[in-house]
C-alpha cells in the first residue's frame, strides 16, 4: 500500500485493488478564512484526480472542496458514501457530475475486487450534524484507518476490522472556542491552553486505543492568511489560539508515548506500507521541511502573498445586503423554530444576533425572529452584514460550515456553553431540524447502564454524545471529564459544568471522607 499525503486530511491511497482519493482540499474555505497548511496548491492534481474511488468523509468545506472535485477528479470514480441520515452529501457530489455511488452501511465491511472497505459513520448533532465518518481499508497485507475529524465511540468495533498498521487521525483544533469570545486576555489564554491540552489528550487516548503500528497526525491545523485573522495562526501571539501544528504534536507525543512510531506527513510525502513495515519519504529536503515549522511566520507571510488573488476573489463573491434581510430571516427561520421543540427548550430564551449595525433577536421561547428591543440576552453573536447576506442568498443550511468556522464573528454569553444555540444554526432546513429533533427524543429515553469509575457508579454513556465513559472518562476531585470532547460533570450533584441541561447520574461506591477544618 502506498499513501501520499495531499494536505490537511487528504490522502491518495494506491493498492493492487484500486486507488482511493480521500478528502482532497486546496481552495480556501469558510469565507476565505482557512487555507491548507502547508501549502498544497502545487501538487499534481491532474494525476491525483485519476482514481478508482473517491471518499469524502463529510460536507465541511475543508473536506468537500467542490471546485477541486469538479475540475480535477475523474467522474468515472466510484464514490464511497458514508451511511448518513440525509442524502445531502450524495446530492452535492451528483451535482458535480459524479454518477457512480456505493452506499455503505456503517461499521459493515464490504469487498470490492480484493479491497476490503468499511466506513464508520457518526450521526449525532455534534457531527456535522448530519455526519462525519472514518474509513478503514485492507488490501490483504496492510490495514489502514483514516479517522480524520471523526470521533468514533466504539473503538473495539473499528479494531474488529483488523489490527491497524497505519493510523491517520486529527490532533489539532477545528473550532472557534475560545478565540472569538469576549473574554479577559488572561482567561482566554487559559481556556486556549486547556483546549489544546484536551485536544492532545483525546488524540493520545485514540492512539492508545487503536494501537497501530504507525501513526500519522493529519486533518489540521489550517492556517489563516487574511490579515484580519493572521494572528490566530498556531498558538496565537499570546497563547490565545488552539492550532497546534504537526511538529509540535509529534514532539509532545514522543514525550508522552515514546514507544509510538509516529510520522510527519506533508503534502507530497509518501508512506510505503507493507503490513507493519513503513518507509516514509518527503518530496522536499529536510532543510526545507524544517524551515516550514522553525520559521513558520516567515513561511506563512510568503504563503499569504501568493494567496492574495484568492482572498480578493472571495471578498468580491459576497452578496449585497438586502433591505429586507430581517423579513427574509423571519420567513426562513420561524417555521423551523415551530418544529424545534427540543432545541427551543434547550436554549430557553432569546439569542441576539448583531448584523453589522443592526441587531435582531432569535427568540427561542416565543419562536420568532424580530428586531432587538434592548432586552437582555444571555447569548450574543456579532458579525458583518455581508456574511449574513451571503448565507441568506446561498440558503446556507449549516452556518458552522460557513460563518462560525470562519472565525469572522464574535460571541459572548452569560453562564455555560449551550450546544443547542449552535445546533440550531447547523440545522437551517426542515430535513435537518426534524432529524436532530428525533435524535434528541431518542436520547431523552435515557441510559440504564452503569459502570464503576474511580470510586463512583456513573451512567455508562456521556450525556453529551454517548461516549463510553469506561474508555473516555476520568475522575479527579469529584469531577468527571469525558476526554472525547472535554465535557465535565460534578459527580456529587450530577450537574454538567460545561453546558446546562446535561446532568449525569452518579453515586459514590465508597464512603466520601469527611472534610475537617
Amino acid at each position: 500500500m502506498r499513501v501520499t499525503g495531499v494536505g490537511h486530511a487528504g490522502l491518495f491511497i494506491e493498492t493492487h485493488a484500486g486507488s482511493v482519493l480521500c478528502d482532497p482540499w486546496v481552495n480556501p474555505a469558510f469565507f476565505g478564512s482557512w487555507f491548507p497548511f502547508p501549502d498544497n496548491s502545487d501538487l499534481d492534481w491532474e494525476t491525483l484526480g485519476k482514481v478508482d474511488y473517491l471518499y469524502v468523509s463529510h460536507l465541511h468545506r475543508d473536506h468537500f472542496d467542490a471546485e477541486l472535485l469538479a475540475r480535477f477528479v475523474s467522474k468515472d470514480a466510484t464514490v464511497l458514501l458514508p451511511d448518513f441520515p440525509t442524502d445531502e452529501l450524495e446530492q452535492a457530489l451528483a451535482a458535480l457530475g459524479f454518477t457512480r455511488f456505493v452506499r455503505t452501511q456503517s461499521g459493515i465491511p464490504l469487498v470490492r475486487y480484493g479491497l476490503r472497505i468499511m466506513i464508520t459513520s457518526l450521526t449525532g448533532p455534534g457531527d456535522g450534524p448530519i455526519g462525519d465518518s472514518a474509513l478503514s481499508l485492507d488490501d490483504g497485507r496492510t490495514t489502514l484507518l483514516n479517522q480524520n475529524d471523526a470521533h468514533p465511540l466504539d473503538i473495539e468495533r473499528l479494531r474488529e476490522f483488523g489490527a491497524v498498521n497505519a493510523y491517520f487521525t486529527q490532533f489539532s483544533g477545528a473550532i472557534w472556542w475560545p478565540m472569538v469570545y469576549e473574554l479577559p486576555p488572561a482567561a482566554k489564554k487559559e481556556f486556549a491552553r486547556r483546549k489544546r491540552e484536551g485536544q492532545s489528550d483525546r488524540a493520545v487516548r485514540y492512539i492508545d486505543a487503536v494501537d497501530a503500528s504507525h501513526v500519522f497526525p493529519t486533518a489540521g491545523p489550517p492556517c489563516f492568511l487574511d490579515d484580519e485573522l493572521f494572528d490566530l495562526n498556531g498558538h496565537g501571539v499570546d497563547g490565545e489560539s488552539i492550532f497546534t501544528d504537526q511538529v509540535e504534536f509529534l514532539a509532545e507525543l514522543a514525550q508522552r508515548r515514546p514507544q509510538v512510531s509516529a510520522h510527519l506527513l506533508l503534502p507530497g510525502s509518501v508512506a510505503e506500507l507493507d503490513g507493519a513495515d513503513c518507509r516514509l519519504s518527503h518530496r522536499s529536503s529536510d532543510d526545507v521541511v524544517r524551515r516550514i515549522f522553525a520559521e513558520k511566520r516567515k513561511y506563512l507571510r510568503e504563503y499569504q502573498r501568493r494567496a492574495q488573488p484568492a482572498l480578493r476573489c472571495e471578498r468580491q463573491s459576497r452578496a449585497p445586503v438586502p433591505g429586507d434581510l430581517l423579513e427574509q430571516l423571519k420567513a426562513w427561520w420561524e417555521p423551523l423554530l415551530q418544529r424545534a421543540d427540543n432545541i427551543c427548550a434547550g436554549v430557553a430564551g432569546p439569542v441576539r444576533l448583531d448584523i453589522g449595525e443592526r441587531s435582531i433577536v432569535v427568540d427561542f421561547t416565543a419562536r420568532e425572529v424580530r428586531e432587538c428591543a434592548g432586552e437582555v440576552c444571555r447569548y450574543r453573536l456579532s458579525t458583518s452584514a455581508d456574511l449574513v447576506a451571503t448565507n441568506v442568498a446561498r440558503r446556507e443550511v449549516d452556518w458552522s460550515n460557513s460563518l462560525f468556522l470562519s472565525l469572522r464573528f464574535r460571541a459572548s454569553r452569560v453562564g455555560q456553553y449551550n450546544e443547542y444555540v449552535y445546533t440550531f444554526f447547523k440545522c437551517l432546513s426542515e430535513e435537518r431540524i426534524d432529524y436532530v429533533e428525533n435524535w434528541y427524543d431518542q436520547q431523552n429515553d435515557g441510559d440504564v447502564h452503569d459502570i464503576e469509575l474511580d470510586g463512583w457508579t456513573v451512567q455508562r454513556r456521556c450525556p453529551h454524545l454517548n461516549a463510553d465513559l469506561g474508555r473516555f472518562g476520568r475522575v479527579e476531585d469529584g469531577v468527571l471529564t469525558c476526554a472525547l470532547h472535554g465535557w465535565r460533570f460534578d459527580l456529587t450533584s450530577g450537574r454538567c459544568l460545561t453546558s446546562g441541561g446535561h446532568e449525569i447520574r452518579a453515586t459514590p461506591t465508597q464512603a466520601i471522607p469527611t472534610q475537617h477544618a
Side-chain angles (χ1 to χ4, degrees), residues 79-204:
V79 178
L80 302 173
L81 280 176
D83 186 9
F84 288 156
T86 76
D87 64 356
E88 291 175 68
L89 177 58
E90 180 178 357
Q91 293 302 316
L93 289 165
L96 299 178
F98 294 94
T99 60
R100 301 178 179 180
F101 296 94
V102 172
R103 297 167 182 83
T104 64
Q105 293 179 271
S106 182
I108 305 299
L110 60 90
V111 178
R112 288 182 63 89
Y113 311 111
L115 184 62
R116 200 159 61 97
I117 303 165
M118 184 177 76
I119 297 178
T120 303
S121 304
L122 308 180
T123 56
D127 299 316
I130 57 104
D132 202 339
S133 63
L135 174 69
S136 300
L137 292 178
D138 172 17
D139 68 352
R141 295 180 64 90
T142 303
T143 300
L144 173 151
L145 172 57
N146 176 17
Q147 186 173 314
N148 55 73
D149 290 3
H151 303 145
L153 304 179
D154 193 345
I155 304 301
E156 293 307 317
R157 182 75 174 272
L158 286 173
R159 286 188 52 82
E160 287 173 4
F161 183 82
V164 178
N165 302 122
Y167 178 41
F168 300 81
T169 188
Q170 184 191 61
F171 64 96
S172 189
I175 194 63
W176 48 83
W177 164 265
M179 292 79 70
V180 306
Y181 274 80
E182 296 174 3
L183 294 165
K188 185 176 289 189
K189 184 176 180 178
E190 173 61 15
F191 284 129
R193 184 197 65 78
R194 293 184 193 176
K195 183 63 177 174
R196 294 193 301 269
E197 182 180 272
Q199 291 163 176
S200 293
D201 286 347
R202 180 176 63 200
V204 170

Side-chain angles (χ1 to χ4, degrees), residues 277-394:
D277 295 331
C278 174
R279 291 184 299 150
L280 182 72
S281 60
H282 299 300
R283 62 172 176 155
S284 302
S285 68
D286 290 344
D287 187 55
V288 170
V289 171
R290 182 195 64 80
R291 285 203 302 271
I292 291 172
F293 296 94
E295 302 173 25
K296 187 192 301 183
R297 194 170 183 87
K298 179 180 178 182
Y299 174 84
L300 290 174
R301 285 299 186 189
E302 293 171 352
Y303 192 177
Q304 182 186 51
R305 285 193 288 273
R306 298 193 299 273
Q308 289 308 304
L311 288 169
R312 284 194 296 272
C313 182
E314 188 283 321
R315 286 190 288 268
Q316 292 166 2
S317 72
R318 297 178 189 175
V321 180
D324 64 343
L325 184 60
L326 174 59
E327 289 69 25
Q328 290 192 44
L329 289 173
K330 284 177 67 70
W332 181 6
W333 291 355
E334 287 187 352
L336 300 178
L337 290 169
Q338 294 300 322
R339 309 171 79 97
D341 292 344
N342 289 291
I343 290 175
C344 289
V347 179
V351 173
R352 178 169 168 170
L353 183 58
D354 295 330
I355 305 172
E357 300 300 317
R358 188 176 192 180
S359 295
I360 70 170
V361 164
V362 184
D363 191 330
F364 287 85
T365 301
R367 305 199 189 197
E368 64 180 9
V369 181
R370 52 180 168 76
E371 292 277 6
C372 180
E375 62 265 60
V376 174
C377 299
R378 290 182 61 193
Y379 311 105
R380 183 173 178 176
L381 309 174
S382 306
T383 191
S384 62
D386 61 338
L387 299 185
V388 173
T390 303
N391 272 350
V392 171
R394 295 173 181 171

Side-chain angles (χ1 to χ4, degrees), residues 457-504:
T457 299
V458 300
Q459 65 187 65
R460 178 172 186 144
R461 296 291 176 180
C462 176
H464 175 219
L465 286 178
N466 291 325
D468 185 346
L469 293 172
R471 179 177 296 277
F472 289 100
R474 71 172 185 272
V475 176
E476 185 175 353
D477 297 330
V479 174
L480 183 148
T481 299
C482 176
L484 192 64
H485 294 103
W487 282 45
R488 302 168 69 245
F489 304 86
D490 177 74
L491 293 178
T492 301
S493 65
R495 186 169 67 91
C496 178
L497 303 177
T498 303
S499 177
H502 293 274
E503 288 75 19
I504 197 168

